[in-house]
Amino acid sequence: NGIAVLAIDDGDDLSAALVPYWELRYPLTAGSRFVQRERSNVDFGSDLDGDGRNESATLRSEVTVAGTEAITVPLGSFASALRVNRSSTLTIRLSRDGSTVTGTENASVWFVRNVGWVRRTQTATANGLTTTIDEVLEAYFNSGGNGGTQPVSGPIASGTLPAGGVVTHVWSAQPLGPYTVSLTTGTVNPL
């Protein structure tokens, strides 16, 4: 039916309160949409107003499949990447006086067949402040395996790749200056 997030173990009370939810719903056809998460009055997990009580939060997020488009990332150009957009609104109710603070987030992810996501952008706005994150695929490592994406244990940043045909992706936040990837075994595939 799709890809579901069943649990989050990141130590964040709000994240834990928002599962389970669908990350993607199949079929991924242009124009299809669904409400990803809609939760009201969940424990925010923090006391923002200093009264000794955690604030409550309401979240609504909707996912829309925009369709396919060409995209270029540092790794290369792809003629047909599937773009998926998410729009979210988070309202925090302060326990001291009942006032609210609302933040919005708009995100897009581009997926390429047999690679995974190659770009992800997020723009969040709250209290007049806007933060934008743009992550792009920088490298694609293949140690001679049977293709496809497989999980990797351990960080890539350690300088070693797991043996045995594992395919690994490396993404980085932009802007980032040029750098060199050096491998003692395996191959770097520029797709």
Side-chain angles (χ1 to χ4, degrees), residues 51-160:
D51 68 354
R53 297 178 291 170
N54 285 352
E55 317 315 333
S56 64
T58 297
L59 174 77
R60 184 177 198 282
S61 59
E62 183 173 297
V63 173
T64 304
V65 178
T68 57
E69 60 190 45
I71 188 170
T72 299
V73 295
L75 180 68
S77 296
F78 301 92
S80 183
L82 180 69
R83 182 177 180 169
V84 178
N85 299 323
R86 183 183 69 234
S87 176
S88 304
T89 301
L90 175 68
T91 302
I92 302 167
R93 180 169 303 281
L94 302 178
S95 56
R96 177 179 303 227
D97 62 8
S99 62
T100 60
V101 177
T102 299
T104 60
E105 178 195 55
N106 292 301
S108 295
V109 181
W110 289 261
F111 296 94
V112 172
R113 184 180 300 276
N114 297 322
V115 177
W117 68 267
V118 296
R119 183 176 184 196
R120 180 171 64 183
T121 64
Q122 298 170 301
T123 300
T125 302
N127 284 343
L129 299 174
T130 299
T131 301
T132 299
I133 297 171
D134 188 11
E135 298 172 292
V136 293
L137 184 64
E138 290 277 341
Y140 176 89
F141 298 103
N142 184 335
S143 61
N146 53 10
T149 302
Q150 300 176 21
V152 175
S153 59
I156 285 300
S158 70
T160 59

Side-chain angles (χ1 to χ4, degrees), residues 26-40:
Y26 299 147
L28 297 173
T29 55
S32 65
R33 62 179 46 204
F34 67 95
V35 175
Q36 181 183 47
R37 293 180 278 191
E38 192 162 26
R39 305 280 198 286
S40 297

